[in-house]
Amino acid sequence: MESAPTIATMFRPSGAGAAERGRLDATLVKVADLYAALEAGRTDVDPGAVLSALRVDLELHFALEEGDSYFGAFVRERPGLAHEVELLREEHSALLEKLDGLRAMARALGPTRELSVPTARMVEAFREHEHKEADLLQEAVLRDDGTGAD
């Protein structure tokens, strides 16, 4: 029987997690290219396709994070962080809703400069979220209040 993941094992790349992260990173490069094209006024780009790919990749990314091997390990080993983990889950939903709104805007407007700023804001919101997760991981690993698990 395989043991439950721990905070220490989160640092080891898994096949699914590593592949997913590489795919998400590649999609984020495409989103950056889309932003540059929209800012330049190019109309030969398909924002809907790029944003749809981002939706698929973020949904997978969030599902993996919310699984037992990531958020589950936080809650098991540091129960005191359960509230923060729940807030991160809520942010996942909010980010996907924000992206859905951006996709609807892209469908309505097509490739236009008006999409560039909301696209940049979407990526920035995702990056800020990832920083919060990294901060939580750092807190979970470095926290030693002398009383064992929260």
Side-chain angles (χ1 to χ4, degrees), residues 15-72:
E20 171 274 325
R21 189 63 212 200
R23 178 178 159 160
L24 177 57
D25 288 344
T27 299
L28 288 169
V29 169
K30 291 177 185 173
V31 173
D33 292 343
L34 171 66
Y35 169 80
L38 293 172
E39 274 291 296
R42 289 183 33 209
T43 58
D44 61 335
V45 294
D46 184 358
V50 174
L51 296 174
S52 291
L54 180 60
R55 176 64 158 87
V56 168
D57 291 350
L58 284 182
E59 194 167 7
L60 175 60
H61 178 76
F62 294 155
L64 289 171
E65 285 182 344
E66 291 178 9
D68 188 57
S69 64
Y70 195 68
F71 283 177

Side-chain angles (χ1 to χ4, degrees), residues 80-100:
L81 297 178
H83 178 71
E84 287 82 357
V85 168
E86 185 55 35
L87 292 175
L88 292 173
R89 282 190 173 109
E90 290 172 8
E91 282 188 17
H92 287 173
S93 294
L95 286 166
L96 291 174
E97 286 178 25
K98 180 178 181 119
L99 180 53
D100 288 343

